[in-house]
Amino acid sequence: MKKIEAIIKPFKLEEVKEALADLGIEGMTVSEVKGFGRQKGHTEIYRGSEYTVDFLPKIKIEVVVTDSVLESALSAIVKSAKTGKIGDGKVFVSPVDEAIRIRTDETGDKAI
Amino acid sequence: MKKIEAIIKPFKLEEVKEALADLGIEGMTVSEVKGFGRQKGHTEIYRGSEYTVDFLPKIKIEVVVTDSVLESALSAIVKSAKTGKIGDGKVFVSPVDEAIRIRTDETGDKAI
Amino acid sequence: MKKIEAIIKPFKLEEVKEALADLGIEGMTVSEVKGFGRQKGHTEIYRGSEYTVDFLPKIKIEVVVTDSVLESALSAIVKSAKTGKIGDGKVFVSPVDEAIRIRTDETGDKAI
Amino acid sequence: MKKTTLIKSGIAALAIAASGLFTTNPAFAQEAVAVVTETVVATTTAVVEEAEEVSAIDKHWEGKTGDLAMFTVNNLWICIAAALVFVMHLGFSCVETGLTRSKNTTNILFKNVFIVCMGLLAYAAYGFNSMYPGDNWTIPGWLAIGSPIANGFGGADEVANLTAEYNAGYTYWGDFIFQAMFAATAATIISGAVAERIKLGPFMIAATVIVAFAYPITGSWEWGGGWLSEDFIDFAGSSLVHAFGGYAALAAVIVLGPRLGKYLPNGKVKPILGHSMPLAAIGVFLLFFGWFGFNGGSVLSANAPLVSLVFVTTAMAAAAGGITASFASWIMLKKPDLSMALNGILAGLVGITAGADSISPWASVVVGGIAGVLVVVSVIALDKIKIDDPVGAISVHGICGNWGTIAVGIFGAGSFVTQLIGTVAISAFAFVFALVTFLVVKAIFGLRVSPEEEEGGLDIGEHGQEAYPDFVPNK
Amino acid sequence: MKKTTLIKSGIAALAIAASGLFTTNPAFAQEAVAVVTETVVATTTAVVEEAEEVSAIDKHWEGKTGDLAMFTVNNLWICIAAALVFVMHLGFSCVETGLTRSKNTTNILFKNVFIVCMGLLAYAAYGFNSMYPGDNWTIPGWLAIGSPIANGFGGADEVANLTAEYNAGYTYWGDFIFQAMFAATAATIISGAVAERIKLGPFMIAATVIVAFAYPITGSWEWGGGWLSEDFIDFAGSSLVHAFGGYAALAAVIVLGPRLGKYLPNGKVKPILGHSMPLAAIGVFLLFFGWFGFNGGSVLSANAPLVSLVFVTTAMAAAAGGITASFASWIMLKKPDLSMALNGILAGLVGITAGADSISPWASVVVGGIAGVLVVVSVIALDKIKIDDPVGAISVHGICGNWGTIAVGIFGAGSFVTQLIGTVAISAFAFVFALVTFLVVKAIFGLRVSPEEEEGGLDIGEHGQEAYPDFVPNK
Amino acid sequence: MKKTTLIKSGIAALAIAASGLFTTNPAFAQEAVAVVTETVVATTTAVVEEAEEVSAIDKHWEGKTGDLAMFTVNNLWICIAAALVFVMHLGFSCVETGLTRSKNTTNILFKNVFIVCMGLLAYAAYGFNSMYPGDNWTIPGWLAIGSPIANGFGGADEVANLTAEYNAGYTYWGDFIFQAMFAATAATIISGAVAERIKLGPFMIAATVIVAFAYPITGSWEWGGGWLSEDFIDFAGSSLVHAFGGYAALAAVIVLGPRLGKYLPNGKVKPILGHSMPLAAIGVFLLFFGWFGFNGGSVLSANAPLVSLVFVTTAMAAAAGGITASFASWIMLKKPDLSMALNGILAGLVGITAGADSISPWASVVVGGIAGVLVVVSVIALDKIKIDDPVGAISVHGICGNWGTIAVGIFGAGSFVTQLIGTVAISAFAFVFALVTFLVVKAIFGLRVSPEEEEGGLDIGEHGQEAYPDFVPNK
Ligand SMILES: Nc1ncnc2c1ncn2[C@@H]1O[C@H](COP(=O)(O)OP(=O)(O)O)[C@@H](O)[C@H]1O
Ligand SMILES: Nc1ncnc2c1ncn2[C@@H]1O[C@H](COP(=O)(O)OP(=O)(O)O)[C@@H](O)[C@H]1O
Ligand SMILES: Nc1ncnc2c1ncn2[C@@H]1O[C@H](COP(=O)(O)OP(=O)(O)O)[C@@H](O)[C@H]1O
């Protein structure tokens, strides 16, 4: 079991979700985050003083998948989230030891 | 050390927190997320056009625990978060290598 | 590759970001969370009824780093986030298997 | 299925309210047009004739430019005051929305929009003529059956309705619009108290019944020349509008029960915080603003000494209520509670409403100041006895409405005993009528949303429409 | 580079609009002062002389205190009504902001602020005198070239402008301010329909051109004594203001295209939800409030029978529109849609505007009620043909403006055919003029922000200023 | 402990302000009632007698219906204008809330609620009679000690107070309520400038002292017949209200220091963004709306030529200020800054306030337009010298208040030198008085919240009440 965390551009959420759904991935969790990266923010002026908006709005998708679909999930995300422009975001994969479905107490791959 | 991530129904937060506190767990971090899962969203109409709200409001609880309390923490969460209805959410467990308490520089289990 | 998750006091974000930037760390993701810990909340009264605000506003910084900069990143965070007062927050380190830059498909350390 | 039945019932209720003169169901729009056409044509002809007959009105004023000017300024003030009272509905909407959770915001706004619209129509169709029956009492001094506003228009002699022959202070239309704006207020007060848990359809029906039938009854007792009109003094409605609304709200809350999770098994009260203090504050300021029309317009003319005195007593009582509630909450609750300060302003306003024209400015400070303390005590006390009123409507309008009425017997021109009798009678009637109405509606349709809907919020449950949907990825 | 050119053009346009009398470009402020000084000194002298000459006005009223009082109350009402119409601009701002996404909020507010300010100035500089040309028609009955307001002031005989010699209902200034507040409304209507995708600078130019030049033309046809002024009836502007704005908005939307992602390749419509229902509701209530000034002030005096009748018809139509739209959405869309109920109130208000003084109260309920259904149907229908109007401006102002005008031919004093001709002529002119204007502006400056900017929001793109920046760590 | 002392002091200050006539401390409510009763009974008797004596007023107007109508319309306008000025307090609340961070919202709203309430009471108790002393000067032309409003009521001859014998434009009460609404404005201006860091209790004390004692002093110089009343022209208070408030705010900000983190060690200015542009925009529109009462009411009658002229100049100056500030920020800061456009409208309004009745419309465009540029420059300049004013109050009210006053010496009927002397004297007095007040309050109670509280927000620190608590799980 692996957890995929994808930081993407907000307007790409719909596409990424569809791409994952197409793979039969039925669950994911989404949150609003602010990202700092190569896509440098922008300098703005408020009431005469300059400031830099370093952190740009991004969406974080978290999805836990079985090892078997990891690869296809990753490529689906990367493909659907790509615009080719700076700030497209990143995907991180990390190990998950266990998953439990609260409703049924199921664990392991069945719980995903 | 393990990190527990629990995605639960928002109104269950209070109960889950109490259940963890009863185990002597003194720290946790909570955030608002939107979840997509078996609990299919709902179809709504806005100004005449249909749309599906796929993502439902959920609460994510993150709590890092020592290996010794992992089991009891998991069952406390599952028990207190359960309603038996679809959309109850999931719990994921993943490894944590290190923890540091910023205030004191303590590390490891002492820092949790 | 490791993921550092730091839960800090909101007004420390700027300093922590600068400290990481000084190390050449170019990417991070930030979100608003609520924390529960030793820093007990506060008891307030609303329209005559007492209640406890258990969860205090915190900022979560997530940054994935190569193993080589892990130590320096950790100490930079701890140093810049510290006020010495209760509620300073915690830092957790966990393993990351893979990273992908969506824009370029680069993977591994190059993608961070 | 059930929903459709519900809607049909709502339409039926409205249709009855309109005495068959019009219908609001768009599905029947064509029929409606047909049904209405006859009446309309008749009244339209009347309008046209009026236009030609303008000379009759001119003749009426001939050589009396001073009187005409007085009549014109009087009537203008009644109209402007009506517009200010209208603003109070926006004030109520904001207060209610601000002091409740964001997941019920669309629902609260919808209810308020409905109440204003329905209130105006129902008052035209039935309330106005039954509240001011003239000699047409059904039970003399106690009850009159109204007739639609159209009667007053189509059939009437224009000079009699549109000049000082009708009233020195206003035309028939000025009279109607000012009173109609008041009418919906009672239901708006209920709306706040039952927020966050009541089913939309049943609320709409109950609110319609109360506004259309109950409000004009007590109204007629005092303002319509009924049994209270002799000695009882309720200038602008501390009892007739506010206590009426407050006690109807109390009945509704008793039938409905508290919000889930408000009163814990261990006997503790868990406050449910309002989601936007700016909205609550905007609402109170707008109510304060609108109250200048509510009280000032109740002079029923632009009479300079009285209108200006009423402006002063109204403002002073509001100010005093705001200050005493602030300090009361500061002392009793340790910290100055903005929501209490806001309730205090409203308490002062409700308190002075009965005696705004007969209480001296400094006495109005005392009346308002006491109201400000009363509201704080009352809000806390009601929570003790598990009466869950999210916005403090019962305390503000009910308790302070009683206080204000009685205060006229202490500081104003009224008799203590008469004032007491009047306010108790009005409050009791409102309570009983509302209790019966809500019990009946509950028996027929059910009154409360399911626990799931309550947890998820009525915005999704009743409307499928979040109030702040910006982070809702949807397709 | 380009931006600077743009700004310069904007300034140029404004400067022309002001006929060289003033300039708003701060860089030229000193020159401007110099340029203006002469005129100013002249007019100032006039003011001073007026002060001394007050006796002339006094003399005018000598022994006619009743007439003076009438004139005073009439003029006061026009002024207050102007202030109420001003509030409508706040109403529009709130509705537009509430029904769009938070990332475009600053931009929408800025556009509205600009429109009010520019509208007042442009109307003073050009519009007023070209809309009310008296005998100075360029093409008789069809077109007049205006002259700046200053003419009316500096050169005029004060008694003739500041007493009932000018008009029984108001002074020259009262006349101007009331009409000026109307003028900007047309552009505000457009602003809502083109929200979330139009470039700021080009919009400002197009809006200025339309308000300054197009609005007074159709206005002069009816209110200025032009070809429509004989039999056509448009009391307060269902056509001249609302349909005008609605059809100009339609042209703008056609030139501009829909928002990204609104109409999916599969033919489906993806709704883009408004971000704040409280803002939308506040806006509609304020519009309702302001409409008492819009319609009530259009009586052009404080005439008691008419003003009070207009208040009644206005309120009844709004209430009926709110109710029928609620039930229409409930039946057609399964759940009661707050945004439709709100649009319904506005529809009722627009609908009654043409006949508020000549339609009987119960007929006004029918007119408003039909408007409430019409707006729901129209909003849905426009989405079907991919006309993307985020706030429903075309339906509310265009369609219901037409309906309201025609309704005067059914329920009011007008002839059906004349009403139809009038509303079609005005709508068509507005549409064509706006179409040409937006096409020209598009050709010269471009009209639409880049897809990136649209995705990121115009607040950042055009203003570098988020509307709700609280979680923006910045240094 | 300390908090209790603080509250007691607050109460003491208020009690003094009220000259012992009433107290707002609910703990003492019973005593208060006792204390007040005597006065109240006396004045109540007066009210009753007045009611009986109405014939005296009737007699006064006998055979003068035209005059009565004029007096009635005049007085009505003063009352309505007072209500419009009241709306400005809501405007201020919204602007201040919108331009600051959400964690200080409850605190800002509470301060504004307090100021309005306290202002009305303090002005009644002391300010009114000391601002308009008639012949009762303590230091002739410079200082008068007031006496509570009750004097004016209980002891006075009603005919003299409630007819044109008092004033052709209003009754005693109309006079009072209009002036009282002005009074609190000064403190409201300060409130914005010191937002996000000042302790609540000390602010309340300082604000009370300034409103109760300082404002009437400068007010009496000009409007009360003092040393400035001969040649100096400040129609509605560019100096007496706005510059007064602006310079008092400047003193407060100097004593208080900037918000944490605003001025970085490296000399850079880090802007602290306001949390809600819609709130800021709503506030400015409401201020614009209320200003029609502020300036229009200052005609002190409904005089048709003057009221309508004032409406025009007010609107034109506001529009010009909005436009020039927009373009100034666009040119100087690269992008059009909404907060500057909003400040520009206010700047134009403040600028025209001194000469709204004596400056011609086109000159008012110049005055407003220059104010719009001035405010942009001033906001930037104040940040350069590290004067931290979150809402731009010092620039809008102070600088543009000065400009507006002087402008009367350029474009209006005034003399440049006299205007300069007047505005400098008033500003200097306000600055010094506020400086001393804030220094004394600081010495006794401390003025600034702890850095921890400032970081966490004053909502939690001072009130324990978040303004937007929806995602606060609480038990
Ligand atoms: N090392 C990292 N750890 C955590 N999040 C990161 C890291 N690097 C980038 N991110 C996230 O990814 C987003 C996109 O990164 P950026 O460098 O701007 O894009 P790109 O890689 O496409 O050029 C950032 O805004 C941030 O949220
Ligand atoms: N594979 C997954 N990865 C991440 N989050 C998931 C995953 N599956 C489910 N979730 C989260 O859990 C929530 C509940 O899942 P759902 O399938 O609706 O409930 P249940 O398992 O109780 O039927 C979802 O809304 C989503 O936030
Ligand atoms: N075991 C834990 N798991 C997850 N988050 C934690 C844990 N312990 C603490 N936290 C987070 O760290 C924050 C600071 O913890 P706290 O105990 O208050 O501070 P300190 O360690 O400085 O005394 C908490 O508010 C919470 O968000």
Side-chain angles (χ1 to χ4, degrees), chain C residues 21-104:
Chain C
D22 288 351
L23 294 178
I25 291 173
E26 282 194 315
M28 71 189 75
T29 301
V30 168
S31 50
E32 270 183 314
V33 296
K34 300 265 177 181
F36 176 73
R38 297 205 181 176
Q39 181 193 11
K40 291 284 161 263
H42 37 97
T43 301
E44 303 296 355
I45 302 179
Y46 177 75
R47 299 176 76 73
S49 313
E50 258 191 22
Y51 66 102
T52 313
V53 179
D54 283 327
F55 290 95
L56 301 170
K58 302 277 170 192
I59 290 284
K60 177 163 94 170
I61 302 178
E62 288 170 277
V63 47
V64 174
V65 294
T66 55
D67 296 349
S68 58
V69 294
L70 177 64
E71 282 313 310
S72 52
L74 285 178
S75 69
I77 291 174
V78 170
K79 231 176 99 184
S80 56
K82 190 179 319 218
T83 68
K85 296 204 190 114
I86 206 159
D88 269 359
K90 304 204 173 165
V91 183
F92 303 116
V93 180
S94 52
V96 169
D97 297 348
E98 182 60 288
I100 312 172
R101 165 169 287 126
I102 294 173
R103 173 167 47 94
T104 57

Side-chain angles (χ1 to χ4, degrees), chain A residues 25-30 62-65 101-104 111-112, chain B residues 7-9 33-40 54 56 58 85-90 92:
Chain A
I25 291 175
E26 281 193 314
M28 71 189 74
T29 301
V30 167
E62 288 170 278
V63 48
V64 174
V65 295
R101 164 169 288 125
I102 293 174
R103 175 166 47 93
T104 57
I112 293 179
Chain B
I7 320 288
I8 61 168
K9 291 191 169 163
V33 297
K34 300 265 177 183
F36 177 72
R38 298 205 180 174
Q39 180 193 13
K40 291 285 162 263
D54 283 327
L56 301 170
K58 302 277 170 192
K85 298 203 190 114
I86 205 159
D88 270 358
K90 303 204 174 166
F92 303 116

Side-chain angles (χ1 to χ4, degrees), chain A residues 35-36 38-39 86-90, chain C residues 27-29 64 101 103:
Chain A
F36 176 74
R38 296 204 183 176
Q39 179 193 14
I86 205 158
D88 269 0
K90 303 204 175 167
Chain C
M28 71 189 75
T29 301
V64 174
R101 165 169 287 126
R103 173 167 47 94

